[in-house]
């Protein structure tokens, strides 16, 4: 017989507050066209993107996270001292250690909250939300801050016609806390590592450090390029459209609801064509509000879902208490989908 006492947490968890931060610099497609052979019409028709935000030197991963988190904490109506866990999903914090989550937890004024980073690409928010839910139900924290943050402008090859126009910067955060009713559904998540080459960093940090020019991409002047994110666009598009619609349906089934029960659909803001295809495949009713933050924010990877959620609530397109399907998918290839009640 076990001598270990059972944990005592809340019966359920829910999102209590949301906040976002977009860098002050707005970058239109015309700026991207300075370095690639394309057109504004082509970019808009292929992705839906019109503008994106790029961070300046002061808008670091930590600084953007702190801004978004402060808004989320205020929206939740709690104090930073009540936060027992800080989970940061990012692929663009350039210090391997320490985790940027520890700096954020300290500067927010938490009381020595557990703090760690995760790397799950564009599915990172869903991964973090699932971990936060588990921490609250298990009893290791009463309130958990989940942050998705990226400075993808640092990892963008502006000469790569397939990706130069896609990426933006920003931070989105939510506070997850206890609930007496289920407001975060079961998570349907997973990975398909056999497709990992379809979205990847161009070269490893070690190869870049060693500086072997024969292994490194060069720019038009023959200089070594900084590592960047690249992808096989058509392969990613097909996977996202056909496979992720199935995952989204599985999340609906796991939550015991149908598309008719939904109020809002918040997919990862990768590409508006992918979003449109998923809406069609899922046969979402006309009353369902669909997040299209990609048009003015671009693809912000782990930040895209909380940023889109924050904007929908701020504009009144969605309201507190709405039932929303969220799904993230990207590099790995990894994915995570669940149904939530909006804060």
């Amino acid at each position: 017989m076990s001598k270990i006492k059972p944990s005592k947490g809340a019966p359920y968890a829910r999102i209590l507050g949301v906040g976002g931060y977009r860098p002050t610099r707005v970058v239109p497609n015309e700026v991207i066209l300075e370095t690639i052979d394309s057109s504004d019409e082509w970019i808009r028709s292929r992705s839906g993107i019109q503008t994106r935000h790029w961070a300046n030197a002061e808008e670091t991963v930590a600084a953007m996270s702190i801004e978004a988190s402060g808004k989320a904490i205020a929206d939740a109506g709690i104090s930073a001292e009540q936060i027992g866990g800080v989970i940061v999903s990012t692929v663009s914090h350039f210090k391997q250690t320490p985790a940027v989550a520890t700096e954020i937890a300290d500067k927010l004024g938490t009381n020595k909250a557990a703090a760690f980073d995760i790397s799950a690409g564009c599915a990172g928010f869903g991964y973090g939300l699932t971990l936060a839910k588990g921490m609250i139900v298990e009893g290791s924290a009463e309130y958990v801050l989940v942050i998705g943050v990226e400075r993808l402008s640092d990892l963008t090859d502006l000469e790569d016609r397939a990706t130069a126009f896609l990426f933006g910067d920003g931070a989105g955060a939510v506070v997850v806390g206890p609930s007496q009713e289920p407001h975060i559904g079961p998570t349907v998540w997973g990975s398909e590592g056999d497709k990992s080459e379809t979205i990847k960093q161009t070269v490893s940090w070690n190869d870049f450090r060693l500086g072997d020019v024969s292994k490194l991409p060069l720019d038009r002047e023959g200089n070594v390029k900084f590592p960047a994110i690249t992808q096989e666009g058509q392969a990613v598009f097909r996977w996202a459209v056909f496979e992720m619609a199935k995952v989204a349906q599985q999340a609906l089934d796991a939550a015991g609801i149908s598309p008719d029960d939904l109020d809002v659909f918040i997919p990862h803001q990768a590409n508006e064509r992918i979003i449109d295809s998923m809406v069609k495949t899922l046969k979402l009713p006309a009353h369902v509000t669909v997040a299209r933050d990609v048009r003015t924010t671009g693809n912000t990877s782990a930040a895209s879902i909380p940023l889109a959620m924050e904007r929908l609530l701020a504009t009144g397109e969605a309201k507190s208490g709405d039932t929303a399907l969220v799904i993230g998918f990207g590099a790995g290839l990894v994915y995570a989908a669940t149904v939530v009640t909006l804060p």
Side-chain angles (χ1 to χ4, degrees):
M1 184 175 178
S2 174
K3 298 178 181 178
I4 301 172
K5 286 198 310 182
S7 58
K8 292 183 180 180
Y12 305 103
R14 71 170 297 164
I15 299 173
L16 299 173
V18 60
Y21 180 83
R22 294 171 176 80
T24 55
R25 183 187 177 192
V26 177
V27 180
N29 288 337
E30 285 73 21
V31 172
I32 307 299
L33 297 175
E34 295 173 5
T35 51
I36 60 171
D37 180 18
S38 188
S39 68
D40 178 60
E41 190 280 330
W42 186 89
I43 294 174
R44 291 184 187 227
S45 65
R46 298 287 290 186
S47 68
I49 299 172
Q50 304 166 22
T51 60
R52 73 285 292 146
H53 296 255
W54 283 356
N56 61 32
E58 289 74 38
E59 292 168 321
T60 63
V61 165
M64 292 191 293
S65 297
I66 290 166
E67 289 290 332
S69 298
K71 296 175 184 177
I73 292 168
D75 191 42
I78 65 169
S79 68
E81 290 184 347
Q82 294 175 270
I83 299 290
V86 177
I87 303 171
V88 177
S89 178
T90 186
V91 299
S92 48
H93 176 56
F94 286 168
K95 286 185 179 179
Q96 192 74 38
T97 192
V100 71
T102 59
E103 176 185 350
I104 294 165
D106 176 63
K107 289 186 175 179
L108 284 172
T110 68
N111 185 21
K112 300 181 180 179
F116 56 95
D117 298 350
I118 60 173
S119 175
C122 305
F125 175 74
Y127 275 54
L129 185 64
T130 303
L131 293 173
K133 173 186 172 182
M135 291 166 70
I136 290 160
V137 173
E138 187 269 341
S140 59
E142 185 176 12
Y143 299 98
V144 179
L145 182 65
V146 179
I147 304 166
V149 56
E150 301 292 1
R151 274 183 55 121
L152 293 182
S153 57
D154 292 335
L155 290 169
T156 299
D157 179 355
L158 293 177
E159 295 181 352
D160 181 357
R161 189 172 184 270
T163 61
F165 59 91
L166 288 175
F167 301 123
D169 303 337
V174 299
V175 171
V176 184
S179 172
Q180 295 301 308
E181 297 178 331
H183 288 287
I184 302 175
T187 301
V188 177
W189 57 353
S191 65
E192 297 186 29
D194 59 319
K195 301 179 180 66
S196 60
E197 291 295 299
T198 57
I199 306 175
K200 63 181 181 180
Q201 186 170 305
T202 49
V203 294
S204 73
W205 295 117
N206 195 50
D207 284 343
F208 183 74
R209 179 179 67 89
L210 294 174
D212 184 347
V213 177
S214 66
K215 296 181 180 180
L216 302 175
L218 307 177
D219 64 19
R220 293 166 184 170
E221 283 73 45
N223 301 311
V224 172
K225 289 184 177 181
F226 191 73
I229 297 172
T230 188
Q231 68 175 25
E232 298 174 15
Q234 287 302 312
V236 173
F237 182 88
R238 289 193 298 270
W239 176 77
V241 168
F242 296 109
E243 297 303 319
M244 291 305 97
K246 297 176 186 176
V247 171
Q249 184 60 57
Q250 290 170 14
L252 289 174
D253 294 341
I257 69 171
S258 71
D260 288 335
D261 298 318
L262 279 180
D263 300 302
V264 185
F265 178 43
I266 311 178
H268 164 48
Q269 302 293 291
N271 180 308
E272 194 165 28
R273 290 172 63 210
I274 292 175
I275 294 170
D276 289 338
S277 296
M278 292 182 71
V279 169
K280 183 177 180 180
T281 302
L282 288 167
K283 298 179 181 178
L284 296 184
H287 75 262
V288 175
T289 298
V290 180
R292 299 184 184 278
D293 194 43
V294 66
R295 293 173 179 172
T296 55
T297 305
N299 180 344
T300 56
S301 188
S304 79
I305 289 174
L307 277 174
M309 182 184 295
E310 184 259 355
R311 174 160 282 172
L312 288 175
L313 290 166
T315 60
E317 296 172 83
K319 63 183 185 300
S320 174
D322 279 353
T323 300
L325 169 64
V326 298
I327 178 170
F329 45 85
L333 295 171
V334 295
Y335 54 87
T338 188
V339 177
V340 303
T341 302
L342 295 184

